[in-house]
Each structure stands twice: as C-alpha cells, then as structure tokens.
Amino acid sequence: TLGSVMEGKILGLKVDNEFAQCEIDCTLNFEQEQLATSGMDAGWRDHIGGYKGWSVDLNSRLTVGAMLGHTNKIIDRFIKEENAEFELWFGSRDGSQDANFYLKGRAGLQNGSVNAPSNGSAMANFSFLGRGKLESWWEEYWRIINAMPAPAVISLVFDISKW
C-alpha cells in the first residue's frame, strides 16, 4: 500500500541483464559536487551544484557453481577487457507493484574482492563507478488506476436544481 515500508528483498541488481545471485545487499550511491559561490563580504556560505556522479556497491555470497554466474563474468571481463563497461539495472526483481521502478546506467568496475573465510560463507564484493547519466523510470500510474472508484450503477452527477 501507499506509504508502507518496502522490503529490500524485492529489489535487486542486474549486471549485464542478469540478476546477481545470492545478493546480500546492494547500495546505489549518488552525489553532486557543491561549488562555493559566496563572496568574502556575504557573511554566509552559498553553493551551486556542479558535476553529478553515481556508484553501486554489490555484496553477495558465493554459491556452488557461482563462478559460472555474475562473479565469473565480472572478474573475467575486468581481466580481459581494457576498459570494461557494465550495464547496471537496479529495481524490482519480480515486477511487483510495491517496487515498480528502475534506475540504470553504464559503469566501470572500480574495485572488487572475493573473500574465503575459514568459517562462514565465501563472499564477492564489487564497487562500480557510473559512467555518464543515471536513467530512471517510476511507475505511478497503477496507483492512480487502483485508486479509482468502482463503476457506479447510477449516474454520479447530481442536479441540485431539482431539490
């Protein structure tokens, strides 16, 4: 319902059109530089927005055969391609009306790691740095359509001159 809390598990990250397996969490960061514009005599600091940027941090568990999934693809492209670029898509995993949106863009792998502790789960962590504009799409029409009243049997127009 409108205003209710969204569960994180309905969101996910696609790397080159494939959802990351066993995703623990994913963070989409966005920023804008704030450039000083105030003069010495202003008495207060003032700023104007400069360049914008975005990045994504992905943390996931490795599964048996995971090296055939997103982890393998990311590492392999990083090793083999001079300037590897990935298409990232952050949004609803199932098209749920509770999270019918997405944010997408092209990004380069900034850093990554694969951790294999002696106790606990093996992990893969990646940080992507956005290249260019981050695009967004928000589906709000379903809320409007679902909020419409049911069709009436009689006219809802009243003629108060006959009262």
Side-chain angles (χ1 to χ4, degrees), residues 23-158:
E23 182 180 318
I24 294 173
D25 63 55
C26 176
T27 304
L28 172 69
N29 307 293
F30 44 91
E31 67 202 8
Q32 183 174 23
E33 292 177 352
Q34 295 297 313
L35 307 170
T37 61
S38 51
M40 293 296 289
D41 60 345
W44 290 93
R45 293 180 188 208
D46 196 10
H47 298 87
I48 188 169
Y51 289 114
K52 295 179 183 179
W54 61 277
S55 62
V56 172
D57 298 314
L58 170 65
N59 301 308
S60 60
R61 288 189 179 94
L62 291 180
T63 58
V64 176
M67 295 310 281
L68 301 174
H70 76 281
T71 301
N72 176 42
K73 291 176 184 175
I74 293 169
I75 293 172
D76 209 36
R77 286 189 52 204
F78 177 74
I79 292 169
K80 293 178 180 177
E81 294 180 27
E82 182 68 29
N83 197 11
E85 188 171 77
F86 300 87
E87 182 176 344
L88 301 184
W89 185 96
F90 181 79
S92 174
R93 288 183 174 276
D94 61 0
S96 165
Q97 290 183 346
D98 292 333
N100 212 355
F101 75 95
Y102 67 76
L103 300 161
K104 71 176 184 174
R106 310 244 359 124
L109 181 64
Q110 188 172 25
N111 60 57
S113 65
V114 176
N115 307 319
S118 59
N119 290 325
S121 301
M123 308 281 292
N125 306 297
F126 300 102
S127 293
F128 298 92
L129 187 59
R131 293 182 178 166
K133 188 175 182 178
L134 183 63
E135 298 177 36
S136 65
W137 177 78
W138 308 91
E139 174 62 79
E140 297 184 16
Y141 295 110
W142 71 268
R143 292 189 191 277
I144 296 168
I145 292 168
N146 289 344
M148 295 291 184
V153 177
I154 58 172
S155 174
L156 296 177
V157 178
F158 298 101

